[in-house]
Each structure stands twice: as C-alpha cells, then as structure tokens.
C-alpha cells in the first residue's frame, strides 16, 4: 500500500510513502547513463545506447535495481504501487514492446525526457507476467508518471496498458485511477475554509451552533488508510498545501503532505502483522537529491548525488538508515 | 426507535414515526375535557377540573390511555420517544410535582395552552419510576414538546427533568438532545443546492469532473437508521422541505419528511427480529384531525374528531387499520 | 434523477422512482402484442410480427409510447434513467441494429423473453442520437434490465452500448454502473445488525459507551440524494429488506425500499426549482399489475391489465392520478 | 487547535500537537522545585513550600512560564487546549481556590503527585477570567490531565470546573469532552482489520468485489482537521498503535500517532492565514526528557533535563529550534 504525489511548481518535487508489513533491502540507487540494465533479450535491441541517468529507491538483485520509485535527470518521475487485484499481465505479443513489470521504470526513465515522450513510448508497451527470477512472482503494480507539467497513471488492465491523465497528481492503490477520479468528484465541496452555516441560514437563525472549529470545511474527507481514502486525503492535502519557492521549504511541505496518509504501526492489520510506512521519500532532479525518512527516524536525510555520478557505468548505491 | 417533527408555519403540524419490532394495540384516542384521568393520588388534587382536550395515538389499558403522541385543542403537541440508557427515573420527592412517565403527556397537555406554560409547569416536575401497573416497567422515554412557536425536549436525567430548547424541531432517541444539537453543527455546510466545485477551483481547472449529480450538496448526510443519523436526516429534510399553505399539502409534505427516516422491515435487526415503522402520524389541532399511515398501508387515513367530541367525558376511540 | 430496483424471489417485482422538477403527461400504458410501434424504417423490417406485450409508464406522443419503465408478459423489465454527462449517442452504423434511445425499451421487451435474450440482442445495438421528433432532444439515458434471474445495465458509452451485469440489482444515474459497483465495495461492512464494539474491546473496556442505538451497524451509509448515495442506500435496503411470499406483501416492501431514496420537495434544488419523486411504481408481470403512488397521494393504486388486453392492437391507456 | 494524547503502558508518555497560525516564543522550560511561581496573592498562601518540579513548553513572560503542556517529576501531565466558545471563566468566589487560567497547570503539577490528587485539588478550583497582564486576554482553554493510570478533562463550564474521566486518553478542542465521548460511540465498529464483507454475504455471493484494500475496516473515520474529527482519529490511532517496551520506540510511536492529526500549512484557513502544527512534543518523566519536532524540522530533538535541574530555584530554559 503506497501513495505517490507530485508537488510544487518550481522546484517540482515527487514523493511517495512505501507502506508494507515487511522490509526488503531498499537502497538509494543512482543508475548512471552508461549502466547496462539487463533487459530481457528483445528489449536489448531497441534500447538506445547511453540512456538518461535516474535515481531513486530500489532493491538490487543480482546487480539489477528493482526500482520502487525514481526520477531521471530531466525530471521525469515514476513510481510503482501495488495493484494486486486489477493488474492484468500478459503473454508476450509480437509487434509490441514487451516489458516485464520491473523493467518499465528504468526503460521509460532512461529513454524519455518528459511525460509526453513517456506517453508515446508506453502506447506500444505490453506488460508481461515475467519476473526478475523464478523465486519472485511478477510485480502486480500500476505506475504513476509525472514531470513538471503533469501526471498520468499507467495501468496494466485487460484491455492493455491503459494510460490515464491524472490531474490530481496523486496515486495510491486499487481500484484503477478512473475510479479515484470519479470518486473525488463526490468530495468536490471540501475546502480549507470554514464550513458555511447553511443550517443556520435555513433556520433563519433559529439554530445557531454553540461551538465552531476550524477545519470543518473539509468535514466528510475520509480518514482511514484504505487506498481510496488515502487518494482523497493526499489529493486534498496536496491541492491546498502551500507551494514554496525554495527546495528546502517545498521538500518540507511534501513530507507533511505524505504524513497525512502515513501509517502508524498497529492501525492496518495484514495477514502477517501490521503495515507501516516503511519509508517516505522526496526526489528532486534539480539538485539530484533523494530525501527520505524512515518509520524509525523521521529526520529528513538527504542523499545528494553528483553530476559526476551521472556519467558512471556502475550503480551508485547508498544504504537507507533506520534507527529502530 | 422513533422520530418526532414539528413542521410548517400555518397550519402548524406535528408528526412522528413509531419504529418497533412488535405491535401494541395502538388506537387513535381523544381524551375530552371532562375525562377523569386516573392520576396517582397526589397529582389528582393539583389538577384543574375540566382540563383541555387532547388526541393522538395511545394504548388504552384499564381505561387509561397511554399516549405515544398527542396534541391538545390549543395546538400544544407532545411525543414520547425511547431513551433507554439515559433516562433517569427517580423516587418521589416532596415539594415536587411527582409524575409517572405515562402521566406526563396527558397532565401537561390537559393543563397548558402552549409551550411556555408547559415549560413553566415542567420546571416543577419530578419524573418517577412508577409504571401503569406491576406488569409493565416504567417507560424510559424523553419527550418532544412543540407548539406553533417552538419546540423543546424534556429529558429525565440525573440532574432532574432537563428542558432543552430544540431549534431544529426534531427529536429521535439516544443520546440527549444536547448531543444532537452539537452534532448537527458538524453538518452545517449541507444544503439542497449543487456542491460547489472547490476541488476544481483549487486545481485551477486541471481537475474537472466528468459527471455531476443533483443532491451532492448534501453529501455527507448520514443515511443509516441510528438515532443520531435519523436526527440529522429529519432535521435537514424538515428545514428544507417546502412549507405549504393548505393543510392537505402540508400534511403530505410532513409524511414525505417522515418517510426519509422510516424503516423498511429487515434493515434494522433487534434481539426479537426487525424494527419497522409501525405507523406514521400527522396531527392537526386546527382541523382536529389525526392522519396516519401504517407499515402495511401507506395511504393517508384521516380520523376527524368533532368539536362535540371535546366536551365528552369518555374517551373517543378509533382503531388504526393496517392491511397486512 | 431516478432509482430502479428489482426485488423479491417469487413473485419477482420491479420498481422505480421518477424524480423530476417538472411533470410530463405520464400514463400507465399497455402495448399489446399486435401494436405496430412506429420504429424508424430500418428497424421495421427486422421486427418480428406479433411481439410480446409490455406495460409500464409512458408519455404518449403522436400515438407512440415513450416508456419510462416497462415489463413484458414474460417478466423482462426495463427502465430508462437519466445519464446526461456520460451518454454517448452515435451516428447510424451499417451492420448494427440502429435504435433511437426511445425505441430500445419497446424493441427489446417486445422481442425478448428474458435477460439472456435481451443481452444477445443488445450486443448488436447501436444507440443513435435520433429523437422522437425535432421538438425533442434524444434521450440521454442508461437502462436497467432485469428478469427473475438477474439484472444488467445497458449504457451508451464511447465504446458502444456497454452491457454490465448488475449483481446489486439497482440502478440510479451518473456515473456508469462500473463506478457504483466498485464504490459499493467500500461500504461492504455495513449491516442491519448492531455495530460491534471494537473501540470498547481495543480499550479493554476502559471506554464503554453510555448510549447505544439500533441501526449503528449501517453508520457510514450516505443519506443524501445524489445518484451514488441513492445507489448505495437502495442497494443496502433492497439486500436486507425481507422478501415476502405474497404479491401484496412484496409490493409493500418494494414501495418501502423505494421510499428510502425518494425526494421530499425542497431538498434537491435544480435550475428550475426542486426535484421530487413524481411517481413511484412497482410492476408485476404475474398479475399484469402496474402499482403506483404519486407525490401527492401515497396510497398504492393498482392498475390491473387483463389477459385480453395483451392481444389487442391499440394501446391500453390509464391516467395516473395525483391529488395535489 | 491542538491535540493531546497519553500513550503506552511503560514508559508512559504524553504528547501534543500545537496547531496555530502564528508563533509565540515557545521554549522548553523546567520549573524546579524551589521556583517561586508568582501566583496571584490569595493562592500564594495555600501553596506548599517546595513544590514538585515540572517541565514542558512555555512562553515565559516577565519570568513567569505560561505552560502549553508540562509533566511533573512524578509523571502527572497537563496540557491546555483552545476552548474558545465553551470556556466560562468566572469572578473570584470566596471559599473557592481561585486560579487564573495560566496558573492551573503549574499549581496542580507542583502540588499533586498523580491524577487522583489532582482531581481532589481541582474540585475546589474556580477558574477566573484573570490574565497574566492587561495586555493579554485570559486564556480560554480546557485542560487534559493524565498520569500512568488514566486521564481526565478539566473544563471551565457555566456549572464550574467540570472534571470528566477520559477513557480514550485524548483531547482536542471544542466542544466539551462529553460530546467527543458520545460521538466516539458512533464509530465503535471501526478497526484495523479487514472490513467484513456483509454485502457479499447478504447477496449470497452474487455481489463480489473486484478489488480490496487493507484499511477498509476503518472506513468512516473522518479525515478532516476539525476538533471532533481529530479527536476520533487520534483516539483510533492511539488505541490501535502498538505499544512498545523501550522509550525510544514508544516515543517514535507517539510521534506517529500525533502525525495522524497534524496540519500541513494551507489545509486549514484562519482569518490571519493558515494553521499548521507549530510543534509536536512528547514528554517522559522517567528520563526527564522533552522531545519535540517543529513544522520546519521533523527530526526528533530531545532536551534532557537532569536530576540536578529539579532542585534549582530558577527556570531552566532551552530554545526550541525550527529550521524554516
């Protein structure tokens, strides 16, 4: 269970919560321009030599980074989010660009400068049920793509990889984005302002409240941690949270936005135990910085990559520290 | 579980749903001016000879009408509604007007012309745990009183019979009215108008809904049949339902208001089975009419009492017909 | 704004609310087997001589019944419901069965015995933007079809006339049924039973409520009159309302179900004034009866057609009386 | 607008969010045993020489700490929270212990070892409308008191300083605690577990969801930032968040609990601008540590007081750092 958000005009930032009931060995990873990603054979041919560099969080298996989320050097962001019931992975199809789920993020981000290029590229993609190795099942995800100008969801459904514009610039989990957008329309009246006193007006003042509270203008916003409710809360908070001119302030704002949908351990039960927000990240392509907090350490820890890192040919890897 | 409502400027009407999982032998009953209600001894002395006539629904036990709701000839209305957990019935107290729960409605309505008289009278009342006979427990109720000018709740709490002005002119069940009024303040933004598109505005048009629905301005209004939710729904519907100049039209409106909180059999489970809206009534003191529908017959059946009935000294009784 | 519901095992009944801010000249109309419906030319050829009889509510224009809802003699029911934003009406397409929106109900109900036949027939249908005459726009509707075994929605979307199984056997208005079904999943925990006291358990009894209310097990069910909220409330009420063995009792239950989503005049504002539930109908093919109530008269008025009516060749028409 | 919470069995911790649209000069302050708090004259006499030490956040004006929240050396905690409409401050009353609002926390915490002593003491308190100086209005607050064994709210209402046990161990703002506790009963069914599929059962499997989400068992929990909704969300999160055996882990949990009701700048509009969670604090009397985060710096910053600090006679003061 996860939440991804695109925020702020300039610098544009991208962030996500990773909510799980277990830990994988996440690292902050930069995949440089000259890294040879071990794509499945038929892709190898089509990939341009010398792709764009990207960085984000990944589990590295056999030298291959499996990205949770990443941004490339041009500010194109992608995140994978659980989509277990609806994901429809397919057999390879000739005439299509067949990609395993874990290949989508590195392939698109190393190939495309922006969202419109990504959209064009993904129109030819067929997402297959191939996995990174026999030990792992294929990842059942949908994907959030964003750049400085907009966002979309890429969702492997029965009709193919559906690309849906995402004007709310938020994605969580099930069901598909088209549901979340229609659902948000029900909540259109919510606002940070005081709730208008329509009951008082309708009673011509006979009924006057003996108390008020700031914040009642958003009463009705769901507060649970299911994916539709996180979508609404993240979208509302992102829409109204003040944008900021400096990266420091804007990064801080985006961590506050993501806090509104984060999970305290114990409040979401799973078969194995409880989900919690394992990490929260904010990515800036402008400063080549991967900011993160972990469940056990809420301080914002920046990992700053360098221009020189971009030109290497091996992964640049940093551990993500947690203190509990 | 019940709902009582006062509605319309002129003619002022009063109505209620009686929601139960069983039937008592309800009848439409007029208690004339000269009827000698068998009050417990210490009350008998204080009651004025020749009280006011009242009519409503009652179960008659041993010649004594136990009123569910009634209006008197001057347009003062009262209804008793279940209040099981919060009702605090007391021992007799000297210096107080000690009344058994079933005595309150006939005593106040035969003694008082309007709400301000009723309020003054009830300030001296101590509601005791006496019942109509050993076979029955004392009724654990709170009471809705209304006339053409306003409404109040009379609630037997530990501090005594609490009289609370009721500007929303609705009462249901638990908890006390003070809760329902504070609770209604949370829902102050609801209205019959279209929901303002604050999300669209906040996104500067990036997010535009692909559908709309009339009625979304009241999204957030609870739809279940618990007493707090019925209170909110009845209050909202009563506040916004159009008032009407003729009794026929206004009666029809009040039945529609009460329909918004009525119970279909099967949707509220009890220990014994299911609650349903056994009957709905609307009372007019102007035309001396008791209108009712039953669960099995939604046609509005008027029982018209006559001026002559008011002066009798025995109860005027009509059966309430149900067809299923 | 409307709500359609299929209810009860045997006799199976179908019903609907028609919610509008104006009146058309609705009548109860039986279209007999030998009535020559004036279909647009290319349909005329394909229609079987001697179709099945159907009856329901219609406005008759120039001898042509425009059905709001109808059931045929075999118990196949259809209702049209407003679908203004999403309806996508098309140009005529060769190789398809081109039908104007108002032709769909009489064509399918006079041609098909049950839902599976209707489904097969509608797979070839192209719904066009033709209207009954130049004075009227084409009706922007989606359609609820049901028989004794199930229900579906037929929705004219950009991809064609989409047929979606409707296991909740309810339809209201926008957005498409696929949204309403996904939405209902969020409300899966609701029930007529008492709410489990999880807060009390979690606090190991430290927190115990000083009040309870029957019906709290459905707290969270929306109570407003928007189409998504009416869908949820009608679906919940229909699922839990007790089924009944006799037509009289089952008809009564279905009117109670539809009352849970009916509109009191004043509570839903439109550009022209206020919507209200103009009429509510329940249709039985077993007894050939059209039952209805109107806003001004809640008594259930049955219109009983005869076996002989089925074989006529002219419409059998009855006015629908309202008393206000 | 604020939220206070008591959490964890051992070590017991206390925390709060301070939500404001402006900054005061908050500091972390320890008031040692021998500090002479400049109480108004009639109190000075009654105070025991050598009270208990306490520490927390305060604005210090003219050498006098005005505490937002504090814990004493025995683990009795108190926090003041805005209560603007309901607070009823009185004239001095003879025979009562007259205290100005800002005197209540230092007086009770320097006088009482635990909640039962505090309760006994406060039964004689009359909270007056005196302020710290003519420049400031008297603080219109209600107060959360807690120790290792329980919690209560002290609320200045028209009937006096009302002491209400608080089994949910949370306090926010308006209206009085009695409302919040009754209100929480409506949400009793919420839980961290999966939502039971009652709709599926009621439809005997006809309706099966095509998606699920963890967390739906708490669907219905409000997500806005009004005081009643923050109360519910903080209470739910506190009840279910896992307790922890070490201070480090438990402190981290309590910061996560408070994050669930914290405010991103822009989401709650006031007359002056926007509220935000200026600081969040967690207090441990066992380790004499004041932990805090600020809006601009989410790292947990501990301020560790020493045993020696307790015996001083001047305030021990530390600035609270914010980085934006």
């Amino acid at each position: 269970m996860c939440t991804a958000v695109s925020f702020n005009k300039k610098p544009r930032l991208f962030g996500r919560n990773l909510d799980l009931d277990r830990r994988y060995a996440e690292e902050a990873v930069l995949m440089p321009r000259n890294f040879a990603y071990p794509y499945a054979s038929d892709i190898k041919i089509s990939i341009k030599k010398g792709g764009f560099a990207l960085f984000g969080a990944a589990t590295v298996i056999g030298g291959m980074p499996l990205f949770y989320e990443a941004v490339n050097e041009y500010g194109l962001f992608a995140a994978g989010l659980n989509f277990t019931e609806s994901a429809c992975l397919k057999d390879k199809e000739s005439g299509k660009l067949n990609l395993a789920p874990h290949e989508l993020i590195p392939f698109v981000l190393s190939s495309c400068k922006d969202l419109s290029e990504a959209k064009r590229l993904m129109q030819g993609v067929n997402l297959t049920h191939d996995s990174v190795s026999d030990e792992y099942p294929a990842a059942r995800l949908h994907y959030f793509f964003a750049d400085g100008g907009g966002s979309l969801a890429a969702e492997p459904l029965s009709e193919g990889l559906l690309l849906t514009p995402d004007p709310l610039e938020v994605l969580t989990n099930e069901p598909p984005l088209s549901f979340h957008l229609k659902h948000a329309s029900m909540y259109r009246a919510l606002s940070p302002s005081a709730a208008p006193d329509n009951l008082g007006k309708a009673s011509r003042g006979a009924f006057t409240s003996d108390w008020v509270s700031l914040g009642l203008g958003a009463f009705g916003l769901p507060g649970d941690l299911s994916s539709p409710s996180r979508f609404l809360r993240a979208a509302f908070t992102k829409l109204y949270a003040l944008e900021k001119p400096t990266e420091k302030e804007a990064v801080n704002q985006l961590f506050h936005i993501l806090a509104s949908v984060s999970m305290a351990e114990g409040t979401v039960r799973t078969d194995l135990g409880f989900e919690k927000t394992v990490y929260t990240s904010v990515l800036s392509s402008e400063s080549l910085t991967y900011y993160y907090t972990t469940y056990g350490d809420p301080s914002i820890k920046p990992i700053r990559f360098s221009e020189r890192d971009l030109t290497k040919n091996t992964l640049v890897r940093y551990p993500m520290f947690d203190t509990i």
Side-chain angles (χ1 to χ4, degrees), chain A:
Chain A
M1 309 288 282
C2 299
T3 306
V5 177
S6 171
F7 176 70
N8 212 48
K9 190 155 187 159
K10 183 106 182 73
R12 174 68 69 142
L13 300 171
F14 312 98
R16 78 95 54 85
N17 286 335
L18 186 82
D19 307 321
L20 286 174
D21 58 357
R22 74 204 81 178
R23 293 298 308 270
Y24 299 101
E26 306 96 9
E27 305 171 53
V29 175
L30 182 140
M31 175 174 138
R33 291 175 191 147
N34 296 309
F35 180 76
Y37 195 93
Y39 293 105
S41 55
D42 54 343
I43 311 297
K44 266 181 209 140
I45 304 151
S46 70
I47 191 119
K48 296 191 286 288
K49 261 227 134 146
F52 309 135
L54 53 137
F55 65 88
T59 296
V60 181
I61 294 186
M64 193 188 326
L66 309 177
F67 282 102
Y68 296 91
E69 79 277 352
V71 69
N72 75 10
E73 52 183 304
Y74 289 99
L76 177 63
F77 174 78
L81 302 103
N82 261 333
F83 196 56
T84 313
E85 287 83 22
S86 299
C88 181
L89 300 172
K90 309 238 176 181
D91 289 339
K92 283 200 175 63
E93 205 180 310
S94 71
K96 284 282 198 174
L97 187 55
N98 295 297
L99 287 175
H102 62 275
E103 295 173 339
L104 186 69
I105 291 179
F107 184 73
V108 174
L109 264 53
S110 63
S111 311
C112 302
K113 282 195 172 149
D114 60 23
L115 199 63
S116 78
E117 286 186 24
K119 197 173 156 182
R120 214 171 312 127
L121 179 64
M122 285 193 283
Q123 272 156 0
V125 164
N126 178 46
L127 224 53
T128 67
H129 43 66
D130 295 309
S131 67
V132 65
S133 87
D134 289 354
E135 293 162 62
Y136 297 87
R140 304 180 65 76
L141 307 171
H142 61 169
Y143 301 86
F144 178 73
F145 284 90
D147 65 7
S151 302
L152 64 78
E155 303 186 303
L157 298 172
S158 60
E159 61 262 40
L161 187 65
L162 190 71
L163 306 178
T164 307
D166 185 357
L168 291 173
E169 305 199 292
V170 164
L171 195 64
T172 57
N173 306 100
E174 295 278 352
L177 176 63
S178 60
F179 174 85
H180 294 297
L181 294 178
K182 284 186 192 309
H183 195 214
S185 293
M186 300 189 67
Y187 294 85
R188 70 186 74 176
L190 303 186
S191 95
S193 301
D197 187 11
N198 292 321
L199 291 189
K201 266 182 283 173
S203 75
R204 285 173 291 277
F207 174 64
T208 52
S209 178
D210 60 355
W211 67 280
V212 296
S213 171
L214 292 170
L216 271 179
F219 180 56
L221 187 67
D224 65 292
L225 293 159
S226 69
S227 46
S229 298
R230 279 184 287 112
F231 186 94
L232 293 171
R233 209 151 68 256
F236 177 85
T237 308
K238 172 234 152 37
L239 265 180
Y240 287 107
L242 299 187
E243 303 208 331
K244 297 286 182 180
T246 69
E247 182 161 314
K248 180 170 188 182
E249 290 171 297
V251 164
N252 189 52
Q253 282 293 84
L254 186 42
F255 275 105
H256 279 286
I257 292 167
L258 288 161
S260 74
V261 290
S262 71
M263 294 186 185
E265 189 186 6
T267 57
V268 177
R269 189 185 291 276
T270 71
D271 290 345
L272 294 176
F274 295 99
E275 286 212 332
K276 63 183 177 192
T277 299
V278 166
Y279 73 77
T280 302
S281 63
V282 170
L283 291 77
S284 167
S285 64
E286 288 211 12
S287 66
L288 298 179
T289 310
Y290 184 85
Y291 302 90
Y292 73 98
T293 63
T294 55
Y295 192 77
D297 180 2
S299 68
I300 299 174
K301 290 165 284 293
I303 294 177
R304 300 188 189 280
F305 296 101
S306 69
E307 290 288 338
R308 263 195 11 203
D309 288 338
L310 304 178
T311 58
K312 293 184 173 158
N313 54 15
T314 56
L315 297 178
V316 184
R317 300 166 62 173
Y318 290 93
M320 288 168 69
F321 292 107
D322 196 6
T323 57
I324 291 187

